[in-house]
Amino acid sequence: MRAGTKGRFSTRSAERRGRGLRGMLLTPSSPGRKSPAQKFDAVVLAAFSPIDARWAKRLRELDIAVDEVPMVRAINPDTVSWPPEIVADGPVPLSRLVPAGLDKRGKPTRARIVLFRRALELRADSRPELLALVHNILVQQVATYLGVDPEEVSPVGDGNID
């Protein structure tokens, strides 16, 4: 023991002598070990599940994707008017429906709904609130994709997403 330590060991010296932490605090499969992106992906899957169960045949050609932040911006945030394929909260896009088409190399692409993770997370205070928000946005986007009313995609009272 060094002079002046009064019987205490520093963390570094304790670990060096085998008296520190002895293994992982969380196993790789424990929920606390998941990244924020993985947790958000689980919310998206839970929110999309009731929609997919009802519309699976018509949604075979639709993909769901997640981006960190939106790459589209309003030209004038004060008087923004978004097209129907973008769901937004004022000047901030929350999701976008990208129709099927051709990529830069001329290869066909599938239609997809892109959810913007950070924009959505900032608008929800809890996981259930985030789940409801993502579900509502997916309902709107699927309705736009199918060309039907959002009430047909998920009727009022049919939003059991827990």
Side-chain angles (χ1 to χ4, degrees):
M1 188 180 316
R2 293 185 322 194
T5 59
K6 297 186 182 181
R8 294 185 186 203
F9 293 100
S10 72
T11 305
R12 200 164 99 191
S13 66
E15 287 176 5
R16 189 174 47 217
R17 292 182 176 84
R19 292 183 292 273
L21 295 174
R22 297 179 190 227
M24 296 186 303
L25 289 175
L26 299 172
T27 62
S29 62
S30 65
R33 197 67 195 243
K34 292 183 180 177
S35 71
Q38 290 171 322
K39 291 176 185 177
F40 186 80
D41 290 347
V43 167
V44 171
L45 290 174
F48 186 66
S49 177
I51 299 168
D52 190 42
R54 186 167 184 193
W55 296 92
K57 287 182 182 179
R58 292 191 58 193
L59 298 178
R60 284 187 189 150
E61 300 298 317
L62 178 68
D63 294 332
I64 307 293
V66 175
D67 273 350
E68 288 294 308
V69 293
M71 298 306 272
V72 290
R73 288 191 320 225
I75 295 171
N76 183 358
D78 298 329
T79 59
V80 66
S81 91
W82 294 104
E85 64 268 5
I86 294 180
V87 175
D89 180 17
V92 180
L94 303 177
S95 74
R96 179 178 186 189
L97 174 63
V98 180
L102 299 174
D103 67 5
K104 293 176 185 175
R105 291 181 235 127
K107 293 185 180 182
T109 60
R110 294 168 48 105
R112 69 186 172 284
I113 295 171
V114 181
L115 299 163
F116 302 120
R117 180 175 76 87
R118 294 295 298 145
L120 290 164
E121 287 176 335
L122 290 172
R123 281 155 182 78
D125 293 327
S126 64
R127 186 180 188 278
E129 196 175 310
L130 180 62
L131 185 63
L133 177 62
V134 170
H135 177 75
N136 290 336
I137 288 173
L138 287 171
V139 165
Q140 291 176 18
Q141 293 290 37
V142 168
T144 302
Y145 172 74
L146 297 174
V148 299
D149 191 59
E151 300 296 320
E152 286 184 57
V153 174
S154 181
V156 176
D158 188 34
N160 184 10
I161 55 175
D162 290 327

